[in-house]
Amino acid sequence: MTILVTGGAGFIGGNFVLDWLAKSEEAIVNLDKLTYAGNLETLSSLEGNPSHIFVQGDIGDVALVERLLAEHKPRAVVNFAAESHVDRSIHGPGDFIETNIMGTFRLLESVRGYWSALPDADKAAFRFLHVSTDEVYGSLAKDDPAFTETNTYEPNSPYSASKAASDHLVRAWHHTYGLPVLTTNCSNNYGPYHFPEKLIPLMIVNALAGKPLPVYGDGMQIRDWLYVKDHCSAIRRVLEAGRLGETYNVGGWNEKPNIDIVHTVCKLLDEMRPKADGSSYSTQITYVTDRPGHDRRYAIDARKLEKELGWKPAETFETGIRKTVEWYLANPTWVANVQSGNYREWVQKQYQAA
Ligand code: NAD
Ligand code: TYD
């Protein structure tokens, strides 16, 4: 048995592939375009593992995807591939429309063609799991209840609008064509292998480099944080037992203002890697111009997933953030290579050898 994972060299997809192959005999075909956010070094421990078949390519390349489906006959597709950074979507939305909307559309069409020709039993067992975000629901006021699966979609950034569009396509392919889909909408993830353009890894990496820690606006925007491996366990559970056509919110009830996150990171670094001059890393905090259209608050109500499928996160924010800071301290080479672009050369070599 095999599953096809897209975007499996990114932050969440990479953690998913590593966790899956550590727990299961089932092979993964990993289709990833290797944009700036895709990093094969994350998967270097899988070198020589026949259960991991990596293919560099685009989810929107219909001929390639059709070939992979025909060749490997996966029983499921898990779609992580996306452009994922809000700030980049503000500076250049085009790639977000292309991959998140057009790419998902083309992937759905390729998968529909494959699925509709399967024998009945395989057809019934097949799943297309689409990984999405809580950002599609828009922004909450301070006292609003957390997002449930029935909240209206009110995306505010080019990123969240493109993800919302992809969710709608996935939903429509179920209702119109019967494609057996599942959608997960998760809150902000953090953990190992997170590209240092996002809040938590950026703060760790900048702090250690003695650089400013840029906090947007007043730093009181709230995000709901989930350790990445808990997101991966939720996806495995939904894939295993989720009801067809349903969406499941994923979150760990960890709402925090950004400034608290930054102070927590600084405190952990003060403890684990104290500065030579004895000052706190928090002296590097710098307030900068706010992000345009910055959503004020996200919060996920994950009770449907907990009640229906018995999923619970394993980490609290305190345990997860400690593990994360420890990971970045223990993996300076990964960070340096991601920043320098050396890993791209490594990828070239890896392909020549393969
Ligand atoms: P990421 O940017 O770290 O990784 C995305 C991966 O997709 C990269 O490896 C990239 O090379 C690949 N990719 C991009 N365009 C592609 C294309 N056209 N074809 C094939 N591969 C392509 O993103 P992430 O943080 O790992 O997020 C993964 C998914 O989870 C995304 O769909 C995102 O919207 C969703 N999500 C992310 C978060 C979060 O906090 N990071 C939270 C909820 C949901
Ligand atoms: P980010 O990690 O980009 O995730 P998202 O925008 O998808 O929630 O940002 C998390 C929060 O941190 C968001 O409110 C923006 C804020 N932020 C900063 O204050 N400074 C930064 O340098 C970055 C990257 C984010």
Side-chain angles (χ1 to χ4, degrees), residues 12-49:
I12 306 173
N15 276 285
F16 181 85
V17 168
L18 290 171
D19 286 3
W20 181 277
L21 292 174
K23 289 175 203 311
S24 160
E25 299 287 294
E26 190 172 11
I28 285 184
V29 178
N30 183 353
L31 172 65
D32 194 298
K33 190 176 175 180
L34 295 181
T35 67
Y36 79 95
N39 184 356
L40 271 190
E41 202 172 330
T42 297
L43 304 170
S44 59
S45 63
L46 299 176
E47 219 168 299
N49 182 337

Side-chain angles (χ1 to χ4, degrees), residues 118-324:
L118 287 174
D120 284 350
D122 295 345
K123 205 172 167 183
F126 185 81
R127 297 290 180 268
F128 180 95
L129 192 151
H130 180 61
V131 179
S132 192
T133 166
D134 60 357
E135 303 192 25
V136 297
Y137 298 121
S139 183
L140 292 169
K142 194 166 157 276
D143 298 319
D144 286 345
F147 300 126
T148 68
E149 291 78 0
T150 56
N151 268 75
T152 51
Y153 272 34
E154 292 177 359
N156 292 319
S157 71
Y159 164 65
S160 54
S162 66
K163 290 297 292 188
S166 69
D167 293 7
H168 290 322
L169 291 173
V170 170
R171 176 189 160 88
W173 260 241
H174 175 66
H175 283 269
T176 304
Y177 304 112
L179 190 70
V181 308
L182 298 155
T183 298
T184 54
N185 293 88
C186 190
S187 58
N188 284 59
N189 284 215
Y190 66 99
Y193 306 110
H194 204 180
F195 194 82
E197 65 180 354
K198 306 278 170 74
L199 180 72
I200 290 179
L202 183 87
M203 293 299 156
I204 299 172
V205 167
N206 277 15
L208 292 171
K211 292 186 183 162
L213 308 181
V215 173
Y216 297 162
D218 64 1
M220 291 307 292
Q221 302 82 6
I222 292 172
R223 297 292 182 265
D224 190 352
W225 294 93
L226 186 70
Y227 191 62
V228 62
K229 287 176 185 301
D230 283 327
H231 187 187
C232 295
S233 75
I235 292 169
R236 290 197 301 274
R237 185 67 192 130
V238 172
L239 187 60
E240 193 175 59
R243 283 186 295 131
L244 291 189
E246 291 292 316
T247 66
Y248 292 90
N249 282 356
V250 187
W253 306 97
N254 280 309
E255 283 185 63
K256 311 267 179 208
N258 292 338
I259 190 66
D260 287 11
I261 297 284
V262 178
H263 278 294
T264 301
V265 166
C266 289
K267 253 191 218 140
L268 287 167
L269 287 172
D270 288 341
E271 174 199 320
M272 295 181 206
R273 184 69 56 85
K275 287 215 267 188
D277 67 2
S279 69
S280 169
Y281 288 98
S282 59
T283 57
Q284 291 165 229
I285 293 173
T286 314
Y287 287 89
V288 299
T289 309
D290 207 353
R291 169 188 282 173
H294 200 169
D295 283 339
R296 199 67 186 162
R297 174 177 166 237
Y298 304 139
I300 275 282
D301 181 336
R303 278 178 296 182
K304 177 176 173 183
L305 177 57
E306 289 174 17
K307 276 194 195 137
E308 268 190 28
L309 303 182
W311 173 85
K312 274 202 186 316
E315 303 291 342
T316 62
F317 184 73
E318 288 64 35
T319 59
I321 191 71
R322 181 170 281 277
K323 282 185 182 173
T324 303

Side-chain angles (χ1 to χ4, degrees), residues 65-104:
V65 174
E66 284 180 354
R67 179 172 67 71
L68 292 176
L69 292 168
E71 216 170 272
H72 298 283
K73 301 190 174 33
R75 66 163 179 100
V77 173
V78 183
N79 183 32
F80 291 95
E83 290 292 335
S84 71
H85 188 36
V86 174
D87 294 322
R88 284 184 189 251
S89 82
I90 294 168
H91 292 296
D95 287 347
F96 290 72
I97 306 305
E98 193 47 47
T99 284
N100 299 2
I101 305 180
M102 293 309 295
T104 304

